[in-house]
């Protein structure tokens, strides 16, 4: 989220190019998201949903699934090897996953 290596616009151009060639792209969000940062993450994911053709998100905290879906992201979700539950509401997601069959 804080990386200065490329912009959303550049990611958008690259992901659209990859999509045209039937190549999947993934955005890794391996940062621990603090409760105070959820609005910032939501705004970032809104931009990703609108401006990119990212195939999926690689996430560290499953709480990002709800934030990404609320932001309009329609792609895949993959749990990172760094995966864990850090956000408070992630416990609700864990409970729901435990009931899924």
């Amino acid at each position: 989220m804080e990386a200065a290596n490329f912009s959303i616009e550049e990611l958008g151009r690259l992901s659209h190019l990859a999509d045209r060639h039937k190549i999947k792209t993934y955005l890794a969000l391996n940062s621990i998201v603090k409760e105070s940062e959820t609005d910032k993450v939501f705004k970032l994911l809104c931009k990703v949903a609108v401006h990119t053709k990212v195939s999926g998100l690689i996430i560290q905290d499953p709480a990002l699934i709800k934030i990404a879906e609320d932001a309009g992201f329609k792609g895949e979700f993959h749990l990172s090897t760094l995966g864990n539950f850090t956000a408070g509401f992630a416990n609700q997601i864990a409970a729901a996953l435990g009931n899924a069959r």
Side-chain angles (χ1 to χ4, degrees), residues 49-62:
V50 170
H51 299 292
T52 76
K53 284 275 201 174
V54 172
S55 306
L57 299 177
I58 301 170
I59 58 171
Q60 180 172 347
D61 189 337

Side-chain angles (χ1 to χ4, degrees), residues 35-56:
E35 296 284 338
S36 62
E37 298 172 325
T38 54
D39 286 341
K40 189 175 184 180
V41 172
F42 175 78
K43 289 176 185 173
L44 172 69
L45 289 169
C46 284
K47 291 179 184 178
V48 169
V50 170
H51 299 292
T52 76
K53 284 275 201 174
V54 172
S55 306

Side-chain angles (χ1 to χ4, degrees), residues 26-92:
Y26 298 90
L27 178 61
L29 298 172
N30 279 330
S31 300
I32 294 174
V33 178
K34 299 174 188 161
E35 296 284 338
S36 62
E37 298 172 325
T38 54
D39 286 341
K40 189 175 184 180
V41 172
F42 175 78
K43 289 176 185 173
L44 172 69
L45 289 169
C46 284
K47 291 179 184 178
V48 169
V50 170
H51 299 292
T52 76
K53 284 275 201 174
V54 172
S55 306
L57 299 177
I58 301 170
I59 58 171
Q60 180 172 347
D61 189 337
L64 286 175
I65 295 171
K66 173 84 169 107
I67 297 170
E69 288 176 342
D70 288 349
F73 183 76
K74 304 286 186 211
E76 304 168 359
F77 294 97
H78 300 273
L79 187 60
S80 168
T81 57
L82 301 173
N84 61 66
F85 291 83
T86 54
F89 56 92
N91 292 330
Q92 296 167 344

